[in-house]
Amino acid sequence: MRDFQLNADGDLVDGNLAEDDESIAQSCKIALQAWKGESPLQPNRGADWHRLAAHAREQDVVSAVIAAISRVRGVSTFGITGVRIDPTTRVVSVDVQINGTGQTIDV
């Protein structure tokens, strides 16, 4: 599986292509950063991160992460190794192992 390579900000990197593991990690990041209601074509896609971060319930965040990553094509195994929630800034950071590769994804 190959895809366009994205930088940390989500912009294209000079037309380079991402290889298998990098492409899967990018797809997971995109899936996790989808906010519920932002897509007019798929209004139920994504998570309500404002609500999840404001109420700081780790189990709800873990459930949202599992739902998002489990739908990404190419993910054979994944595990959540850490979740940090800052209700003041409403930032959620998730540490995940996707197909054996560690990633930190901020939503």
Side-chain angles (χ1 to χ4, degrees):
M1 183 165 131
R2 293 178 67 165
D3 206 347
F4 286 111
Q5 187 178 38
L6 305 177
N7 66 16
D9 294 327
D11 297 324
L12 288 176
V13 178
D14 299 325
N16 294 336
L17 295 177
E19 296 298 327
D20 291 334
D21 289 341
E22 185 180 9
S23 178
I24 292 168
Q26 286 182 175
S27 295
C28 289
K29 183 175 181 178
I30 290 167
L32 285 172
Q33 291 178 338
W35 290 67
K36 190 171 199 119
E38 76 178 344
S39 171
L41 299 176
Q42 295 176 311
N44 291 326
R45 178 179 177 263
D48 187 351
W49 291 113
H50 280 297
R51 183 184 60 77
L52 291 172
H55 296 298
R57 282 183 265 192
E58 188 173 316
Q59 187 55 45
D60 292 342
V61 171
V62 168
S63 296
V65 170
I66 291 170
I69 292 178
S70 64
R71 290 190 291 264
V72 174
R73 189 178 68 150
V75 173
S76 57
T77 62
F78 71 94
I80 301 167
T81 57
V83 173
R84 289 173 305 289
I85 304 167
D86 185 344
T88 307
T89 60
R90 294 188 179 186
V91 172
V92 176
S93 293
V94 181
D95 297 324
V96 292
Q97 288 279 327
I98 303 165
N99 297 349
T101 304
Q103 301 284 321
T104 297
I105 301 173
D106 296 327
V107 290

